[in-house]
């Protein structure tokens, strides 16, 4: 069997199968590769730790496509905050109503109804229409804008909603906090934001982190694994990092192999 | 009638935009009250627009079915059937019910994840084709890309710190600088679009045809 002159000659499904097998092996039998926590994650946890019991944080729902990448990180962060006595308001306003069930998902994952008191420790607003206007409204006129929770109850009946008297009531924004919250929470009122985002958005949020607009963020599986490691709660993110690392090594090896083939092909007078 | 279709919407858009801008930048108390009211109105209008969007979407699919558009009408039946199923479960049992959440968690999110995960395979193949050192620019892209990939591996940070630091520098300095440029350009573009909308030059959102615009 001769070596291909170029990786283009090889059926792409071969690479796909190699990737599936290579990634599956450390998932089934974890290797336990070392993890070092970055400054981003340390700053994020320091921000969590700066909150006192009774402080209110608002969690913005993320898109269902990110449930595997950032879902475990979101669940862990919420669990950590609530164990510290921080009260949480869950809501979905970034895109359409399809984000709203993520509030229920994350509440169910943490079993919040069993462990905490609804209306006092946490409230689920569900879908808040308006996008950026909703984001601004949550900070500026919460009582005026929000009338019902996700289950149809009057929001004014809840102790937690009564404590939302203005932007000073919000001590943290977490979850899929985006440019909307940077514009209407962080910039005018200095509310700290810890976005929990996918790997593809890291560069965008790095600009805000470098500028000091946000104290930190948790990006992709890396951020989630570092959070688990730092909090001493190993979970699915740390386990997945072995597969991520091995997959990236495969990509580098294939890129190198492809370039070596190209080099030899050109040196022999090929295309 | 022309006033209601052209000038009145432009006046509303312009005045609301000016109100929101002044309220955000200057924080004058009377403007704060008006701005607050407008945000609540916007939330209500968005709710109605969702309803309009749903009706519009159903109309499109209904037309596909009645016209038996080849290659589309069957998918439109699936869409409407699933739409009615989810509505029935949502209205009947509630959107936080076990059944609704089961549908959401095991159908919707899995479909999303399938789409996102499939992209990973194509990204691998695309990377193999893109990262070829055929000239100096592509060689530079290959080197930078390799270091950024190395930076993403925790084991490199632990065992070979210089490679991680270099990859982090590539990410944190040139890439972030370019990203800042994009954000600034997008911001300037948005400002220009806002001014055009306030002054009435931007009318595409009115849905007017070009010959009606003059």
């Amino acid at each position: 069997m001769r070596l291909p002159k170029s990786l283009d000659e090889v059926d792409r499904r071969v690479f796909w199968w190699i990737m599936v097998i290579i990634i599956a092996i450390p998932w089934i039998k974890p290797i336990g590769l070392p993890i070092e926590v970055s400054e981003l994650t340390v700053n994020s946890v320091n921000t969590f730790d700066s909150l006192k019991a009774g402080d209110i944080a608002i969690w913005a729902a993320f898109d269902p496509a990110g449930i595997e990448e950032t879902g475990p990180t979101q669940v862990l962060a919420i669990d950590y905050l609530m164990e510290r006595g921080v009260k949480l308001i869950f809501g979905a306003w970034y895109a359409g109503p399809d984000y709203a069930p993520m509030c229920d998902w994350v509440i169910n994952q943490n079993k919040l109804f069993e462990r905490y008191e609804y209306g006092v420790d946490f409230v689920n607003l569900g879908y808040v229409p308006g996008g950026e206007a909703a984001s601004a409204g949550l900070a500026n006129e919460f009582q005026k804008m929000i009338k019902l929770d996700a289950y149809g109850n009057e929001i004014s009946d809840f102790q937690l909603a009564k404590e939302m008297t203005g932007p000073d009531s919000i001590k943290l924004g977490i979850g899929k906090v985006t440019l909307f919250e940077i514009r209407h929470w962080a910039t005018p009122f200095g509310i700290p934001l810890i976005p929990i985002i996918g790997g593809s958005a890291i560069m965008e949020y790095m600009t805000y982190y470098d500028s000091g607009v946000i104290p930190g963020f948790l990006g992709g599986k890396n951020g989630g694994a570092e959070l688990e490691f730092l909090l001493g709660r190993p979970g699915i993110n740390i386990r997945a990092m072995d597969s991520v690392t091995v997959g990236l090594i495969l990509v580098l090896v294939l890129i190198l192999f492809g370039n070596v083939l190209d080099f030899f092909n050109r040196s022999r007078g090929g295309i | 009638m022309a006033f209601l279709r052209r000038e009145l919407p432009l006046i509303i858009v312009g005045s609301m935009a000016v109100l929101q801008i002044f309220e955000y930048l200057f924080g004058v108390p009377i403007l704060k009250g008006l701005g607050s009211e407008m945000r609540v109105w916007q939330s209500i209008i968005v709710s109605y627009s969702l309803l309009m969007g749903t009706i519009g979407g159903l109309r499109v699919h209904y037309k596909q079915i009645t016209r038996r558009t080849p290659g589309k009408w069957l998918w439109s039946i699936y869409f409407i059937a699933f739409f009615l199923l989810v509505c029935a479960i949502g209205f009947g049992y509630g959107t936080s019910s076990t059944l609704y959440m089961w549908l959401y968690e095991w159908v919707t999110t899995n479909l999303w994840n399938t789409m996102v995960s499939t992209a990973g395979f194509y990204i691998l193949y695309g990377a193999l084709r893109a990262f070829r050192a055929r000239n100096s620019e592509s060689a530079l892209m290959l080197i930078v890309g390799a270091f950024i990939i190395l930076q993403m591996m925790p084991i490199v940070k632990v065992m070979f710190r210089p490679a991680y630091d270099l990859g982090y520098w590539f990410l944190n300095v040139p890439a972030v600088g370019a990203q800042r440029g994009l954000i600034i350009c997008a911001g300037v573009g948005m400002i220009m679009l806002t001014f055009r909308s306030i002054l009435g030059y931007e009318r595409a959102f009115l849905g007017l045809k070009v010959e009606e615009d003059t």
Side-chain angles (χ1 to χ4, degrees):
Chain A
M1 187 173 116
R2 65 166 182 87
L3 274 178
K5 285 186 184 169
S6 163
L7 288 184
D8 296 340
E9 287 181 12
V10 181
D11 190 333
R12 66 181 76 180
R13 288 172 293 186
V14 171
F15 300 119
W16 295 344
W17 274 109
I18 291 172
M19 188 167 94
V20 167
I21 293 166
I22 292 286
I23 286 175
I25 291 171
W27 180 255
I28 296 164
K29 187 94 175 84
I31 305 168
L33 295 171
I35 289 174
E36 192 175 307
V37 181
S38 65
E39 186 188 65
L40 277 165
T41 307
V42 170
N43 289 346
S44 301
V45 173
N46 286 342
T47 306
F48 295 160
D49 290 342
S50 69
L51 300 180
K52 302 183 298 296
D55 283 346
I56 299 173
I58 297 187
W59 181 84
F62 60 103
D63 58 307
I67 198 171
E68 292 301 332
E69 187 176 13
T70 64
T73 315
Q74 309 266 8
V75 168
L76 177 59
I78 287 166
D79 191 41
Y80 184 70
L81 284 170
M82 292 209 71
E83 279 181 356
R84 293 179 55 79
V86 173
K87 300 182 184 185
L88 271 162
I89 296 176
F90 298 87
W93 60 85
Y94 179 65
D98 54 329
Y99 282 34
M102 297 313 298
C103 299
D104 291 289
W105 181 82
V106 89
I107 286 170
N108 292 340
Q109 289 292 310
N110 277 312
K111 297 184 172 48
L112 294 187
F113 277 106
E114 295 167 28
R115 297 161 62 195
Y116 300 98
E117 188 177 348
Y118 186 78
V120 176
D121 299 313
F122 73 101
V123 162
N124 181 8
L125 304 180
Y127 177 57
V128 184
E132 188 164 355
S135 175
L138 283 169
N140 290 286
E141 51 267 345
F142 183 92
Q143 309 270 359
K144 198 171 167 182
M145 180 169 268
I146 310 294
K147 296 299 179 193
L148 299 174
D149 71 349
Y151 314 113
N153 305 309
E154 292 276 344
I155 205 80
S156 53
D157 292 342
F158 299 127
Q159 175 60 32
L160 180 51
K162 288 174 190 165
E163 293 174 24
M164 284 289 296
T165 52
D168 291 339
S169 307
I170 307 172
K171 301 301 180 193
L172 176 71
I174 191 173
K176 194 176 172 70
V177 285
T178 62
L179 196 56
F180 295 169
E181 288 69 47
I182 288 172
R183 279 204 279 259
H184 297 285
W185 297 8
T187 305
F189 306 118
I191 296 170
L193 304 175
I194 302 293
I196 302 176
I197 53 171
S200 56
I202 285 175
M203 215 184 328
E204 181 189 348
Y205 285 87
M206 193 65 89
T207 61
Y208 299 114
Y209 172 72
D210 276 353
S211 311
V213 176
I214 57 175
F217 63 85
L218 298 166
K221 277 289 188 217
N222 268 351
E226 288 175 13
L227 182 69
E228 286 178 2
F229 187 78
L230 190 59
L231 298 182
R233 301 188 196 188
I236 202 165
N237 284 326
I238 286 182
R239 185 178 176 186
M241 283 317 296
D242 288 347
S243 294
V244 168
T245 302
V246 164
L248 290 172
I249 291 172
L250 170 70
V251 169
L252 278 177
V253 164
L254 285 174
I255 288 172
L256 185 65
F257 184 56
N259 277 282
V260 165
L261 280 179
D262 266 359
F263 174 76
F264 279 118
N265 196 30
R266 266 181 279 145
S267 63
R268 283 179 200 157
I271 300 168
Chain B
M1 194 62 192
F3 174 79
L4 288 177
R5 287 190 67 207
R6 279 210 304 257
E7 280 78 19
L8 183 62
L10 291 173
I11 291 169
I12 292 171
V13 165
S15 55
M16 291 301 110
V18 168
L19 167 68
Q20 294 286 350
I21 290 168
F22 274 71
E23 187 254 337
Y24 182 80
L25 291 177
F26 301 114
V28 176
I30 188 168
L31 290 181
K32 274 202 160 312
L34 284 171
S36 164
E37 199 62 37
M38 289 304 109
R39 281 192 287 273
V40 176
W41 286 22
Q42 187 172 347
S43 185
I44 297 168
I45 290 167
V46 166
S47 303
Y48 276 104
S49 70
L50 282 173
L51 180 63
M52 296 303 298
T54 305
I55 294 170
L58 287 171
R59 276 185 64 201
V60 165
H61 287 284
Y62 178 73
K63 278 185 190 166
Q64 305 281 15
I65 294 169
T66 52
R67 290 176 190 171
R68 293 282 195 272
T69 313
K72 289 185 184 178
W73 70 275
L74 199 56
W75 296 110
S76 291
I77 290 178
Y78 292 151
F79 170 81
I80 291 181
F82 200 68
F83 173 82
L84 292 173
L85 172 69
V86 173
C87 281
I89 293 173
F91 283 116
Y93 296 94
T95 56
S96 301
S97 62
T98 310
L99 187 55
Y100 190 91
M101 287 306 297
W102 183 91
L103 212 55
Y104 185 81
E105 198 174 336
W106 295 106
V107 178
T108 309
T109 57
N110 280 337
L111 287 171
W112 274 109
N113 283 321
T114 304
M115 250 176 32
V116 169
S117 306
T118 311
F121 293 98
Y122 288 97
I123 286 170
L124 167 68
Y125 194 66
L128 295 182
R129 292 172 68 90
F131 288 117
R132 301 272 179 92
R134 295 226 166 105
N135 51 42
S136 52
E137 287 90 2
S138 58
L140 182 63
M141 191 174 88
L142 168 64
I143 293 166
V144 172
F147 276 105
I148 288 183
I149 291 172
L150 285 170
Q151 174 264 332
M152 289 160 66
M153 298 187 220
I155 191 170
V156 170
K157 194 176 176 185
V158 173
M159 296 182 74
F160 193 51
R161 190 73 195 214
Y164 171 84
D165 287 340
L166 186 57
Y168 190 74
W169 183 87
F170 280 131
L171 184 69
N172 210 26
V173 179
V176 163
Q179 182 78 22
R180 281 212 179 97
L182 283 172
I183 290 172
I184 290 169
C185 285
V188 171
M190 209 183 301
I191 291 170
M192 296 307 300
L193 185 63
T194 304
F195 275 120
R196 282 177 60 85
S197 300
I198 289 172
L199 296 172
Y201 290 113
E202 194 61 45
R203 301 177 191 187
F205 61 89
L206 294 178
L208 292 173
K209 292 182 187 159
V210 172
E211 51 270 18
E212 288 182 78
D213 202 18
T214 53

